[in-house]
Amino acid sequence: MAEKKDNLKAEKSGVNIRDFWLHLWTLIVPFHGQIFGVLVLIIFAEIVKLSGPYFLKLIIDNLMAFDATRIKEILIFIALMFASNEAGSLLSYVIDGKMFQILGGINEYIPHQALQKLLSLPLGYHEKENTGNKVVKITRGVDKIDSLLGNLSWEVVPTIFQIIFTAAVLLFLDWRFFLILLFFIPIFVFLTLKVNKEVYPYRRKRFMSQDESAGVMAQAIININTVKSFVQEKKESTKFQKIISQVKDNIWLEFSRIIKYNVKRNFVIDVGRAFILVAGFFLVWKNSMSIGSLVFVYTISEKALLSLFRISRIYDRVMESSEAIERIYSLSLEESEIKNAKNGFKPKNIDGQIEFKNVTFSYSDSTQKALNKVNFSINAGCMTALVGPSGGGKTTVARMVYRHYDPTKGDVLLDGKKLQEYDLYAFRKFIAIVPQEVEIFNTSVKDNIAYAKSNASFQEVQAAARIANAEEFITQLKGGYETLVGERGIKLSGGQRQRIGIARAILANPRILIFDEATSSLDSYSEKLIQEAMDKIVKGRTVIVIAHRLSTIKKADKIVVLEKGKVIEEGSHFELAQVSGGLYQKLIKLQEVGDVD
């Protein structure tokens, strides 16, 4: 409810211009020096460009009072006019070159910064944010910044200085022309500000709909197997069509208002132009101004008035860019809830002793406690299994070990130190996980296995694949280890993806190894191969196995039974199987009769 009120308030208030420019300026910090350099060149170029019409005035005045003695003078003025035009052209060439360098740098810098920010944010952020929305937020923001800075350098900034210098020249020549310009410019600016305030709510809705449509499209493509399997192509297409229809409606509502105001803005320029001509005609008639001066005044004021209209159109685009730029700026302000300790401890090696001390944790979107005052230890070099009903807190424990989340209360200790005391990236290098759904990249089998160790030799990759019982299927692929596996490993079976995940974990050579439901969704043959692979690699490591199938954990040194976020039983398979009425005993009996898989 509070979020809706904030959105309504934002829609009514429109864009805060000052904040918008400050945010844009903040996003391009490394380029400030280069931009100031271009700004100086633009000022100099606009002064040079004003000299051309002035030399034209002198030529016309000399022609109006022509005699043979002035031919040399006229030719000099023509040469000077040519030189000023060429100097302006040369300056434009230099400015264009420097601006393309700046825009190229920004196109590299901002996406890289945005990706770094996204990668640094905790798992909780990515679980809340739609993938399509995140990608669109970056790409649209970069496109708008690129377009906006280009327009500023080639249109807006030169025109602003052109108007300032024109006003100064008109004031020097005749204050009446200055007053005409001074009268019409504020009216024009008022209309421009008014139209953008009116269209802002439609613009904002359009961006929200576009983000939503990108999210829907991304989800449909990412989950294409499910879409096709359940014959839901029409449903996804209809859902997308409905959202982009809203985009179309908001575009019309937005731009219909802009084009109506364009008529009014054109009228202001036409009236201003007429006033300048009437005033000039009157002054020439009264012999208070030469014809050359009138041509000079009309030429520079015409440029200023036309440039003013061009600025208004660009300002419309600036305001249209504001929402996208604000979003990428908001991303830059996002802070990770998981803070990496300054001068955190960077271990050269770890034993792998893990302890949960009175740990309580709740996910931000849930009122229930995922873990509630949990106390247990995972012994170094031993296998500890976590079992219990779904939602009991097993995966949350694994996330706590990785420090993807921090406890709300209590502490998770590694070798007697709180995880918060370690350098985040240093201790994570000693941990590897094989999840239920192994995440596969759209690259080769070899690169997927070597993901955690990119400098691994082919022999190392091959050795890891053999231990994981993966080489059996890899050699049967058309390209062997160089076979491209498709997005999310779509060309591989579930068992094959799992074995690549195990090979990846083996190659990382972790001290702590986590198997999170690694065999739960596999057929018996794949499960057997993976179980064999697990047996080969667990020796001498701290192993955490999260499992529903109790057959996979009988060999565990310790079994921790979790239910509703609490540890309710702890012991070996033999010990827990003897506990009359215990949850573990119930799970064994249910699996024996086939009620639990």
Side-chain angles (χ1 to χ4, degrees):
M1 194 70 179
E3 190 178 337
K4 283 185 179 178
K5 284 181 181 177
D6 288 343
N7 287 340
L8 287 169
K9 194 174 177 183
E11 284 185 13
K12 288 177 183 177
S13 62
V15 180
N16 184 314
I17 302 297
R18 180 178 169 276
D19 286 351
F20 168 74
W21 291 114
L22 282 173
H23 295 168
L24 176 61
W25 192 239
T26 303
L27 287 171
I28 55 174
V29 168
F31 302 92
H32 287 182
Q34 294 175 62
I35 290 169
F36 276 124
V38 169
L39 193 61
V40 171
L41 285 172
I42 288 171
I43 292 169
F44 187 57
E46 290 309 312
I47 292 170
V48 169
K49 285 175 185 176
L50 274 177
S51 63
Y54 179 70
F55 290 127
L56 178 62
K57 161 199 152 35
L58 296 175
I59 292 164
I60 291 169
D61 284 342
N62 275 280
L63 288 170
M64 293 303 294
F66 181 75
D67 71 57
T69 60
R70 295 191 175 185
I71 291 174
K72 185 180 178 183
E73 195 175 340
I74 291 169
L75 290 173
I76 289 170
F77 289 144
I78 291 171
L80 287 170
M81 184 177 172
F82 174 78
S84 71
N85 290 337
E86 285 303 299
S89 177
L90 185 61
L91 282 166
S92 294
Y93 170 78
V94 174
I95 290 165
D96 288 352
K98 289 192 175 296
M99 271 313 301
F100 279 121
Q101 284 180 348
I102 291 169
L103 292 174
I106 286 170
N107 270 293
E108 176 190 24
Y109 173 75
I110 290 181
H112 185 235
Q113 289 296 110
L115 180 61
Q116 278 189 320
K117 172 58 75 172
L118 283 171
L119 293 174
S120 72
L121 291 171
L123 205 58
Y125 173 85
H126 294 282
E127 288 175 343
K128 288 183 285 186
E129 276 276 321
N130 179 286
T131 303
N133 287 2
K134 284 183 281 192
V135 173
V136 167
K137 188 181 287 185
I138 295 171
T139 53
R140 182 183 290 138
V142 172
D143 288 345
K144 294 299 180 185
I145 289 171
D146 182 55
S147 172
L148 176 57
L149 290 175
N151 284 325
L152 283 172
S153 62
W154 288 305
E155 302 281 355
V156 179
V157 174
T159 304
I160 288 170
F161 285 114
Q162 187 183 88
I163 291 169
I164 291 169
F165 296 145
T166 299
V169 170
L170 292 178
L171 182 61
F172 176 75
L173 277 176
D174 194 300
W175 58 270
R176 284 164 286 202
F177 291 110
F178 173 75
L179 286 180
I180 291 170
L181 205 63
L182 199 63
F183 178 76
F184 285 102
I185 286 175
I187 297 172
F188 193 92
V189 170
F190 169 76
L191 290 172
T192 300
L193 293 173
K194 192 168 187 293
V195 65
N196 275 285
K197 189 173 182 181
E198 279 189 25
V199 302
Y200 178 76
Y202 304 108
R203 193 171 279 155
R204 196 165 191 273
K205 285 175 186 172
R206 172 161 67 90
F207 275 122
M208 289 170 71
S209 297
Q210 284 172 332
D211 284 355
E212 190 181 350
S213 67
V216 168
M217 180 185 281
Q219 288 301 303
I221 301 303
I222 287 170
N223 299 304
I224 190 66
N225 189 27
T226 305
V227 172
K228 285 189 169 293
S229 298
F230 288 93
V231 200
Q232 293 301 311
E233 292 95 336
K234 189 174 179 181
K235 176 187 172 182
E236 292 298 329
S237 178
T238 304
K239 190 196 300 182
F240 182 75
Q241 177 64 44
K242 188 178 176 182
I243 298 167
I244 57 173
S245 291
Q246 292 172 0
V247 174
K248 182 192 74 175
D249 293 342
N250 281 308
I251 286 173
W252 170 244
L253 289 168
E254 178 184 340
F255 287 98
S256 63
R257 280 160 175 76
I258 289 174
I259 58 177
K260 283 176 187 175
Y261 269 89
N262 281 349
V263 175
K264 296 176 185 178
R265 290 189 285 196
N266 270 323
F267 178 75
V268 171
I269 284 175
D270 290 339
V271 174
R273 185 183 287 135
F275 266 75
I276 285 168
L277 278 174
V278 168
F281 169 73
F282 178 78
L283 291 170
V284 171
W285 179 45
K286 291 292 183 180
N287 292 319
S288 298
M289 176 182 275
S290 68
I291 291 174
S293 294
L294 173 58
V295 171
F296 176 54
V297 166
Y298 184 78
T299 303
I300 63 172
S301 60
E302 178 73 3
K303 275 187 177 181
L305 288 169
L306 287 174
S307 298
L308 193 64
F309 190 76
R310 198 161 66 244
I311 277 188
S312 72
R313 285 183 176 275
I314 294 163
Y315 180 78
D316 295 339
R317 291 203 289 272
V318 167
M319 292 300 98
E320 198 257 347
S321 305
S322 62
E323 187 70 15
I325 291 169
E326 282 300 311
R327 289 176 181 220
I328 203 166
Y329 177 74
S330 297
L331 173 63
S332 74
L333 294 181
E334 285 281 352
E335 286 195 20
S336 176
E337 296 162 10
I338 307 299
K339 303 290 183 187
N340 196 14
K342 264 191 177 181
N343 303 315
F345 178 58
K346 296 180 180 179
K348 290 183 179 177
N349 203 353
I350 62 169
D351 293 328
Q353 179 75 24
I354 301 166
E355 192 175 354
F356 279 66
K357 279 192 172 181
N358 205 32
V359 171
T360 297
F361 174 74
S362 298
Y363 290 100
S364 58
D365 57 352
S366 174
T367 54
Q368 291 186 328
K369 291 177 180 175
L371 295 175
N372 188 6
K373 296 180 181 177
V374 167
N375 289 280
F376 69 93
S377 61
I378 295 168
N379 295 326
C382 298
M383 181 191 288
T384 301
L386 307 177
V387 300
S390 295
K394 303 183 296 294
T395 298
T396 303
V397 166
R399 288 176 166 184
M400 289 282 163
V401 170
Y402 256 107
R403 211 189 154 208
H404 286 316
Y405 294 93
D406 279 336
T408 312
K409 291 179 183 176
D411 296 301
V412 180
L413 282 68
L414 173 62
D415 293 346
K417 278 182 181 290
K418 293 179 186 178
L419 285 185
Q420 288 92 330
E421 295 175 20
Y422 284 89
D423 179 86
L424 194 62
Y425 307 103
F427 89 82
R428 279 183 183 168
K429 286 181 181 177
F430 293 99
I431 311 173
I433 186 168
V434 182
Q436 184 175 359
E437 288 291 332
V438 173
E439 291 170 339
I440 301 292
F441 295 88
N442 186 15
T443 183
S444 68
V445 171
K446 177 173 75 70
D447 288 343
N448 268 288
I449 293 173
Y451 185 73
K453 190 181 177 183
S454 52
N455 62 346
S457 66
F458 176 70
Q459 287 73 23
E460 289 176 295
V461 170
Q462 201 173 32
R466 283 173 184 159
I467 295 168
N469 288 332
E471 196 170 50
E472 171 214 32
F473 79 84
I474 294 171
T475 52
Q476 294 174 16
L477 297 172
K478 190 175 181 181
Y481 281 88
E482 297 300 328
T483 303
L484 296 177
V485 296
E487 191 172 16
R488 300 171 75 219
I490 198 167
K491 296 178 184 177
L492 303 174
S493 70
Q496 290 170 341
R497 287 196 293 272
Q498 289 301 108
R499 281 181 273 171
I500 283 180
I502 291 173
R504 182 189 291 167
I506 292 166
L507 195 59
N509 193 26
R511 189 72 190 85
I512 299 170
L513 185 56
I514 302 171
F515 292 96
D516 187 358
E517 306 280 10
T519 63
S520 63
S521 57
L522 303 178
D523 59 87
S524 299
Y525 177 70
S526 295
E527 183 186 5
K528 179 176 176 290
L529 290 173
I530 287 169
Q531 193 63 56
E532 286 174 3
M534 287 169 64
D535 290 342
K536 292 176 195 171
I537 61 173
V538 296
K539 291 169 186 175
R541 305 179 198 272
T542 301
V543 178
I544 302 169
V545 179
I546 299 169
H548 278 300
R549 293 181 181 177
L550 303 185
S551 58
T552 62
I553 58 161
K554 286 181 180 177
K555 298 175 187 175
D557 299 290
K558 184 200 284 189
I559 296 169
V560 178
V561 185
L562 289 150
E563 185 180 33
K564 294 179 181 178
K566 291 186 175 183
V567 175
I568 57 169
E569 290 179 302
E570 203 173 333
S572 67
H573 170 75
F574 178 77
E575 290 167 345
L576 295 177
Q578 309 303 314
V579 178
S580 180
L583 178 59
Y584 188 77
Q585 190 185 70
K586 286 179 185 176
L587 290 172
I588 292 172
K589 288 177 180 176
L590 286 168
Q591 287 200 5
E592 283 173 353
V593 296
D595 286 347
V596 174
D597 188 16

